[in-house]
Amino acid sequence: MKTIALIITLAALAACQRPAVPPQDKPPEPKALARSVQAPLEKARGVQQTLDDAEKQRRAQEERAEKE
């Protein structure tokens, strides 16, 4: 009886094991992480530059309109 209980317990424990993680061919490049962080920042800087340029143009137009 103890043998059957031991076999059942070992079978249950074997079923609960995590599956083996397949090895990766190569680790991810750290540059990819840096690019994924920098890309949105660069895009935001570009948008800010566009807004700044538009504001400068608007102010220049207002100054020209006031002089006339």
Side-chain angles (χ1 to χ4, degrees), residues 3-64:
T3 307
I4 294 174
L6 181 62
I7 292 173
I8 292 173
T9 304
L10 290 176
L13 286 175
C16 294
Q17 297 291 327
R18 288 186 186 178
V21 178
Q24 296 180 350
D25 293 339
K26 60 180 180 176
E29 294 182 28
K31 292 179 183 179
L33 178 61
R35 278 188 232 132
S36 67
V37 170
Q38 289 298 324
L41 292 175
E42 290 173 5
K43 184 176 180 179
R45 287 183 190 116
V47 170
Q48 185 64 48
Q49 185 64 42
T50 302
L51 293 174
D52 292 343
D53 291 344
E55 180 64 21
K56 285 179 186 178
Q57 288 178 356
R58 185 187 63 79
R59 286 184 183 178
Q61 286 176 351
E62 285 180 358
E63 287 177 7
R64 278 188 251 132

